[in-house]
């Protein structure tokens, strides 16, 4: 079975709620996943997974969180070749544009992006997409 690492950053709880739905769906599909906050990542352990799942809301101006997620992206340099990754996160007014940039950056790092979901101010309008993402992660 593939090892799945999942971490999220959430300032006001919206992306956290999305993380819970994705994790639940992964488990319902029969796979195992530990969900941690981005601040708790042990990098070597995290990056050793076959599938890396990250949650981050739109921050700054269509940017990623600067405190934990940006440093993580720097650490990924040279480590994601051939890895499967999936991302999700909440946004407020930008329509999730930051995710497109994030996908491009992951691909530049050599990762294969197997799915993404963005939700306006939380999971309420994208619950089915989040569940589907979880199923796809479990199958990856
Ligand atoms: C400082 C700050 C910057 C933000 N920048 C954006 C942005 O560029 N685009 C956007 O769509 N939403 C932006 N938002 C809105 C958040 O992404 C949105 O409220 C999201 O649901 C927060 O998710 P969280 O509860 O997981 O932190 C910003 C919010 C804050 C506080």
């Amino acid at each position: 079975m593939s090892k799945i690492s999942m971490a999220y950053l959430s300032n006001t709880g919206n992306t956290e709620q999305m993380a819970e739905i994705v994790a639940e769906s992964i488990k319902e599909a029969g796979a195992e996943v530990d969900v941690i906050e981005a601040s708790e990542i042990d990098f070597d352990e995290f990056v050793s997974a076959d599938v890396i799942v990250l949650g981050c809301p739109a921050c700054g101006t269509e940017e990623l969180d600067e405190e934990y997620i940006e440093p993580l992206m720097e650490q990924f340099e040279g480590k994601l070749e051939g890895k499967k990754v999936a991302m999700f996160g909440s946004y407020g007014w930008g329509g999730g544009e930051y995710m497109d940039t994030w996908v491009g950056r992951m691909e530049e790092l050599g990762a294969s992006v197997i799915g993404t979901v963005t939700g306006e101010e939380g999971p309420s309008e994208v619950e089915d997409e989040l569940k589907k993402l979880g199923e796809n992660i479990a199958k990856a």
Side-chain angles (χ1 to χ4, degrees), residues 14 17-18 21 90 119-128 130:
N14 294 336
Q17 288 175 42
M18 297 172 81
I21 294 168
S90 184
E120 187 176 349
E121 300 298 356
S124 57
E125 288 173 15
V126 290
E127 270 199 42
D128 289 348
L130 290 165

Side-chain angles (χ1 to χ4, degrees), residues 77 81 103-111:
E77 203 74 47
E81 204 63 49
V103 167
R105 291 177 67 189
M106 283 297 201
E107 287 173 347
E108 273 173 26
L109 289 167

